[in-house]
Amino acid sequence: MKIRNWIIMGLLAVSWIASAVADEVEVKKLIDHNYCNVCHGYGGTTTSELFPQLASQPKEYIATELKEFKDHTRYDENAKRFMWGIASRLNDHDMEALATFYSAQAGVHEGKIKNQAQYDRGQSIYTKGIEDKGVPACMTCHGEKAEGHELIARLGGQNENYLIRQLRAFHASTRETGHVMNFVAGAITDEDLLALAHYLQAQ
Amino acid sequence: MLKTLKNILFLALVALALAPSVSFAVPSFARQTGMDCAACHTSFPELTPFGREFKLRGYTLGERQWLPVAAMVQASATHISKVHDNSGVTVMPHQNNPEFDVASVFVAGKLNDYVGMFLQMTYNNINGLRDDFSFIHHSAQDNTDIRAVGTSELFGKDLVYGLDLNNNPSVQDVWNSSPAWAYTPWQTSSLAGGPNNQFPTKIDSAFAQTVAGLGGYLWWDRHLYAELSFYGSANKSLKFMSQGQNSFPLLDGHDNPYWRLAWSEDWGSNSLMVGTYGMRVNLFPDPANPHGATDRFTDTALDVQYQYLTDPHIFTVAATYIHENIDWKASYVDGINAGPSNPTGNLNTFRAKATYLYNRKYGATLGYFSSNGSSDNLLYGVTPDINTTLAVSNKPNSRGYSAELDYNPWTNVRFSLTYLGFTQWDGASSNIDGNGRSPRDNNTLILNTWLAF
């Protein structure tokens, strides 16, 4: 038999075996293993500052963000680079399944304070806001332990550089649904931004 | 000088004029996945962890395109330090002229959820020079990589397994430290060339687009990569993988092994790979007479790649060391009149580079390469000194460095300015042509443009 025929037979055989294996895998797991783990880590826990922790995020928040990626109403640079393509292939059922899965995973609680003064300032902003600038206490919406709920994101344990980038994205209005956050991010100084992000990562 | 500036300006304007018309069009993989090039590449062709995953999973992510076609164009202007030799003979024509170098067409994408391919066909505008310095053009099959993959679990961890058919040892690799996708730099001059022994070992591109290799690989837990493939010449029924290549080395059989083992670790914004790869080939000394004894080349290599990936900073380092043992069991005759001087020999290559990218737009790269090996009067003593008639060297050693600045206005467009410096050329650190030419006389400054759509 010619070598080319052996190659074609080999390719077909692997295709057949692979499809048989894939059929046995749950949709949720398939989506998870194919698309999400590389950036967000297994179980939605990552140490990369480029990508957010998904573990323990509110289900409604995850599903909403995925829809915003899909309909391009969230259009910060990294959303376009990484998530527009992924979300374009997800239907409502997939989004619901992913949101359910990640919201049920145990979230990260780093608890590491690298700079006490920065932490204290961040805690003050988070719990009391910045009165003279009209910035409300973040805790009011995001929860006492920054755990989030429903459409409000969990911020606790999130990488500080990721949080800073997102606050800047709100300021640049590239996350259209975050009207409240657009105002907050615009009113806060860079120094306070760092302090707040530092405090939140340590939660 | 004024002419040089005019030419460079012309080249830049042409590229800028072309670029906006394609800035919203992206190559076929990006169209298939719906993702920006930046998801898979730090700067083409260097892959991110996501890009490596996409390749290892057989280019199957996303929706199959009806026509998975993309294209690439490169143009450059080259300035060599000393354009004439000491006798007044032109070493490199077309000094400072903007020239169209190559154009490639890609057929690249998924065939189904388990099979994908990357096929590249290239038109080379400067494949050689005639006596009047006009260009010889040539078209040929370029890199080919066809995969069939599946996923499973092994010891409770993710497992990707696949079959790979390709025409260039290491073109299937996903790290940019092994030869096929390594920085040498990314774009060089079609006019200036380099030392004969800049890439001396066989695994280092000697078989590119002339062989066919089929193998299997495992990618376990996004940590361990293991591959075993077997290569033979891409002739007869496999000719489609070397279509257009006029002459090439002829391997004995289709069971010449290539192997790869790598360990990858991602943490935080860091990605590190430490690996080894190698190949053993039996090669007929005369491709026109594929019978009888063969020479044996055994290549063993170590490589490492580190990436620091954040926004807006990206930093990458890649290095490899290749050692080749040669058994001239067919070519060695008497060591005096023909063939090599010695029955055995060895060659080594070391290559390293470091790149910094800011905001994925501005980049700077420093590179270094060195090759050396055992001396051989008959193989390497081929350039006589015009006064003494003695060979200027009997070693295969070459050494050099590169410094490059990049500007990527869009993810599919790159302008680069590359300086290539040489401190040793085909075994000689001076008098490389026997007529007083220094290695640094071949130093080149290259303005490149690269466009993919």
Side-chain angles (χ1 to χ4, degrees), chain B residues 72 102-105 120-124 138-143:
Chain B
M72 178 186 84
V102 297
S104 289
V105 172
Q120 180 180 6
M121 283 71 69
T122 296
Y123 167 75
N124 192 343
H138 187 240
S139 297
Q141 180 67 26
D142 207 324
N143 288 323

Side-chain angles (χ1 to χ4, degrees), chain B residues 245-316:
Chain B
Q245 302 292 351
N246 297 327
S247 62
F248 48 82
L250 202 64
L251 279 63
D252 185 11
H254 286 83
D255 56 354
N256 298 274
Y258 164 95
W259 49 271
R260 174 67 153 140
L261 202 60
W263 182 265
S264 176
E265 192 75 44
D266 295 347
W267 75 100
S269 302
N270 310 276
S271 180
L272 175 70
M273 182 283 299
V274 179
T276 177
Y277 57 94
M279 189 173 194
R280 195 196 69 202
V281 294
N282 295 317
L283 199 63
F284 290 109
D286 180 6
N289 183 28
H291 304 287
T294 55
D295 298 318
R296 172 169 286 188
F297 300 81
T298 307
D299 292 4
T300 311
L302 295 172
D303 66 330
V304 62
Q305 176 176 289
Y306 169 75
Q307 295 179 315
Y308 178 71
L309 302 160
T310 64
D311 202 1
H313 308 290
I314 290 177
F315 178 64
T316 64

Side-chain angles (χ1 to χ4, degrees), chain B residues 380-393 431-435:
Chain B
Y380 308 124
V382 293
T383 306
D385 183 281
I386 59 165
N387 297 314
T388 66
T389 69
L390 296 173
V392 297
S393 169
N431 193 28
I432 61 173
D433 64 347
N435 192 19

